[in-house]
Amino acid sequence: MEPDTSLDAIVIGAGFAGIYALHKLRNELGLAVRCFDKADGVGGTWHWNRYPGAKSDSEGFVYRYSFDKEMLQEWSWTNRYLEQAEVLEYLNAVVDRHDLRRDIQLATTVTSARWDDSLAQWEVRTESSEVYRCKYLITALGVLSEPNAPEIPGIEQFSGQVVHTSRWPDGLEVAGRKVGVIGTGSTGTQFICTAAETAQHLTVFQRTAQYSIPSGNGPIDQEYLDRCRSNYDAIWDQVRNSIVGCGFEESTVPATSVSETERTRVFEESWQRGNAFHFMFGTFNDIIFDPAANLAAADFVRDKIATIVDDPATAQMLMPSGYYATRPIANKGYYETFNRSNVSLVSIKDNPITRLNENAVVTADGTEHEIDLLVLATGFDAVDGGYKKMHLTGRDGTPISELWNETTAAYLGIATHQFPNMFMVYGPNSVFTNLPPGIETQVEWITELIRQAETRGSAVVEVSETAVRAWAQLCDDIANASLFPKAHSWIFGANIPGKTSRALFYFAGLGNYRRVLADESDADYPNFTFHSDDHTSLEREHASIPQ
């Protein structure tokens, strides 16, 4: 049977966000919906990122959906953190449990989406020249979906393989190989810890030294599972009202209010417990605000590096020098990995890569680092990269890349002006938190907004430019009150040459973000306008942004 080309809604992306959006809009609102994904399987980030060591960095009991309580009671996992294959298995089970697969079209790249003002519809085109029309466009492109790969002179001469971690080929093994890896962020450090165990030799090309906290990963038992299942209501209530949504109580104690001995004790306890988000947010409440508190945390990690790493020169290269204010990184045994005889570290900040030759990475000092596999753990053009790559045009043919040329912004991370009836899941200025509860929050709010539009008989829903700009400014103001902007990080777009560095997230926490969403809906959407079929406005004067 040919798919219906005239739909109520189209969802782009079949990861955590797209799967839930399809479920809510089709199964709960009863809309005709189709979900497209360029991959040949569902899972989004968890489909593409198959590199050795890939796993969640939030604990498994909160790295899932909360909406299906029966499934929460039935589904099991084996370790504190979920391996990539486990997450993918879980997402496929959700798709099948809720009969979503029949409305997911895989191996389909959406190349363009154009707003047709005369019809109050979106026209969506695919790479295979299919054309669809829909009233609502839901973009679930993913925060980390557009790979960032450096240009390396001589790459065409290299006789080995070059692979980005987010495009890991099936069957590619590192065992017994001479592997080089560029990048030591969340992905790079996960890969390094795993690849070092089997590679003949692993050369780590470090751009920036990282604060890596032990993950505390390990097997869980039946008692642990039973405790999670019996407390799920309380767990999810705490998550929804927390800052980072990671399933622990965040600290209310300033580091500067206690003695140095007490600070050390608290840091050590968290270090032994494991989890990077806990170390940053669960120990003290001022680490990301107060330079003195931040220095105390940073010095604690640097002392650990000096103690753990045997070679003083390697330990010195591994020591971060800036603020502890990038996205938290957690691994099991990261610094210990550099004590292995088959692992070497090269600081390309001090000794840059100049080129590749047939079988080696050549650095500025002339050294040839022999490899047969080069892994690019170089991250992503985060948040808006996927939007700018797609030919996405709003009113008057305005490309989103032009709209976002100077200021990448979306009200609540969900909607932007000149793009009516388009709702983003984790667009720019979304809440900085554990992604699954953040995604659920946004999808549920978008679903209710669409329900309101359908109930009112509105053809068009659009946000005001004033609201978008005010929200972006609020996100900047919140970020600038912290130390986050002082660190070179992808969460501000600072990893992409030429990209304007600014707050891409709302840093006031999930609980506060949910309250802002509730204020908007409870006040009857003052920052949105609902238009009837003849494009006359049904509502209203725009109001100010809730703080």
Side-chain angles (χ1 to χ4, degrees):
M1 177 183 290
E2 290 294 319
D4 189 355
T5 58
S6 180
L7 299 156
D8 295 318
I10 285 176
V11 177
I12 305 176
F16 262 101
I19 289 168
Y20 192 42
L22 175 58
H23 168 66
K24 293 289 286 186
L25 296 176
R26 194 200 72 183
N27 292 348
E28 294 192 12
L29 289 193
L31 301 182
V33 188
R34 194 147 190 83
C35 176
F36 296 98
D37 199 295
K38 64 184 177 182
D40 60 6
V42 303
T45 294
W46 297 101
H47 170 88
W48 293 107
N49 287 267
R50 298 167 181 255
Y51 60 87
K55 60 176 63 67
S56 69
D57 52 9
S58 298
E59 293 190 56
F61 71 97
V62 289
Y63 203 83
R64 61 191 63 245
Y65 298 114
S66 69
F67 75 91
D68 188 334
K69 287 193 175 184
E70 288 185 7
M71 193 171 187
L72 288 171
Q73 295 299 320
E74 296 167 1
W75 198 259
S76 294
W77 60 104
T78 56
N79 291 289
R80 279 182 66 185
Y81 298 83
L82 304 179
E83 302 288 335
Q84 176 268 338
E86 287 183 287
V87 180
L88 200 57
E89 181 186 7
Y90 167 73
L91 290 174
N92 272 280
V94 172
V95 166
D96 291 333
R97 180 181 176 91
H98 295 281
D99 190 27
L100 300 175
R101 205 172 296 274
R102 60 187 167 91
D103 286 313
I104 298 175
Q105 185 169 322
L106 299 170
T108 302
T109 299
V110 173
T111 55
S112 70
R114 179 183 68 87
W115 174 253
D116 186 334
D117 201 48
S118 65
L119 297 174
Q121 288 184 336
W122 283 95
E123 179 189 89
V124 176
R125 293 179 178 267
T126 71
E127 197 171 47
S128 57
S129 300
E130 295 173 308
V131 181
Y132 295 83
R133 289 188 175 275
C134 62
K135 183 175 181 180
Y136 304 109
L137 181 65
I138 313 300
T139 55
L141 304 186
V143 173
L144 303 174
S145 61
E146 190 57 35
N148 174 45
E151 294 183 6
I152 305 174
I155 196 167
E156 69 283 350
Q157 301 172 14
F158 182 55
S159 62
Q161 290 177 273
V162 179
V163 58
H164 194 280
T165 49
S166 69
R167 298 296 182 266
W168 195 267
D170 287 341
L172 177 59
E173 298 288 344
V174 302
R177 302 186 68 169
K178 288 173 284 188
V179 182
V181 56
I182 302 174
T184 54
S186 293
T187 293
T189 54
Q190 285 185 343
F191 174 79
I192 289 162
C193 291
T194 301
E197 296 175 359
T198 60
Q200 178 184 332
H201 191 85
L202 178 67
T203 305
V204 177
F205 297 97
Q206 174 187 270
R207 299 180 297 176
T208 305
Q210 300 288 352
Y211 295 94
S212 178
I213 308 301
S215 65
N217 195 24
I220 58 173
D221 55 23
Q222 190 60 45
E223 182 183 350
Y224 177 99
L225 282 172
D226 291 343
R227 187 166 63 250
C228 289
R229 289 167 176 162
S230 63
N231 290 304
Y232 260 128
D233 285 344
I235 287 169
W236 286 101
D237 182 65
Q238 188 277 329
V239 164
R240 294 184 187 107
N241 290 284
S242 68
I243 298 171
V244 291
C246 289
F248 60 82
E249 294 286 345
E250 287 114 355
S251 177
T252 59
V253 178
T256 52
S257 71
V258 301
S259 67
E260 182 179 352
T261 300
E262 176 63 7
R263 280 198 301 272
T264 301
R265 185 196 68 78
V266 172
F267 285 141
E268 181 65 31
E269 186 178 85
S270 183
W271 183 273
Q272 296 301 326
R273 173 194 184 279
N275 188 282
F277 286 92
H278 186 274
F279 191 85
M280 182 176 278
F281 295 97
T283 52
F284 299 102
N285 69 351
D286 55 352
I287 288 175
I288 62 169
F289 299 107
D290 186 335
N294 192 273
L295 179 62
D299 280 346
F300 180 88
V301 177
R302 286 190 281 261
D303 287 346
K304 285 292 187 183
I305 296 170
T307 301
I308 292 168
V309 181
D310 295 336
D311 176 54
T314 301
Q316 188 61 43
M317 277 195 289
L318 286 167
M319 285 191 188
S321 58
Y323 284 110
Y324 173 45
T326 59
R327 186 185 184 280
I329 294 174
N331 294 281
K332 187 174 182 179
Y334 176 64
Y335 298 119
E336 289 85 346
T337 296
F338 293 91
N339 291 331
R340 301 179 66 105
S341 61
N342 68 326
V343 177
S344 56
L345 179 65
V346 178
S347 172
I348 56 176
K349 181 178 181 181
D350 304 314
N351 188 20
I353 293 171
T354 57
R355 60 188 172 90
L356 282 173
N357 64 24
E358 186 178 358
N359 59 6
V361 173
V362 184
T363 47
D365 63 356
T367 303
E368 295 187 359
H369 305 271
E370 188 176 345
I371 60 169
D372 55 49
L373 171 63
L374 180 60
V375 176
L376 305 178
T378 48
F380 300 85
D381 186 357
V383 181
D384 61 353
Y387 287 90
K388 292 180 178 179
K389 185 174 182 180
M390 187 170 63
H391 190 58
L392 182 59
T393 56
R395 285 195 187 278
D396 304 319
T398 302
I400 202 158
S401 57
E402 180 181 307
L403 182 71
W404 286 351
N405 184 44
E406 294 183 2
T407 303
T408 298
Y411 180 50
L412 307 173
I414 288 171
T416 195
H417 58 292
Q418 292 188 251
F419 285 78
N421 286 14
M422 187 183 88
F423 306 112
M424 296 170 264
V425 187
Y426 261 79
N429 305 133
S430 293
V431 61
F432 181 77
T433 191
N434 177 25
L435 280 176
I439 285 168
E440 277 193 324
T441 293
Q442 288 195 339
V443 170
E444 289 162 4
W445 195 86
I446 290 167
T447 301
E448 185 55 34
L449 178 60
I450 291 175
R451 187 198 306 273
Q452 289 294 321
E454 292 295 287
T455 300
R456 300 170 193 220
S458 303
V460 179
V461 183
E462 53 189 316
V463 70
S464 74
E465 181 177 358
T466 300
V468 174
R469 294 191 180 280
W471 180 254
Q473 186 60 56
L474 178 63
C475 290
D476 278 344
D477 292 345
I478 293 169
N480 290 332
S482 75
L483 298 173
F484 280 132
K486 298 182 183 299
H488 185 86
S489 172
W490 66 263
I491 60 178
F492 287 84
N495 63 318
I496 304 297
K499 189 170 182 176
T500 302
S501 181
R502 66 169 303 142
L504 293 174
F505 292 91
Y506 170 83
F507 287 103
L510 181 59
N512 285 328
Y513 178 72
R514 288 176 64 89
R515 283 185 279 276
V516 171
L517 292 177
D519 288 344
E520 178 73 31
S521 55
D522 290 348
D524 199 22
Y525 306 98
N527 292 292
F528 290 83
T529 302
F530 295 77
H531 294 286
S532 63
D533 288 337
D534 63 2
H535 294 196
T536 59
S537 177
L538 295 176
E539 319 274 346
R540 82 198 6 99
E541 294 299 320
H542 297 307
S544 60
I545 304 299
Q547 301 296 308

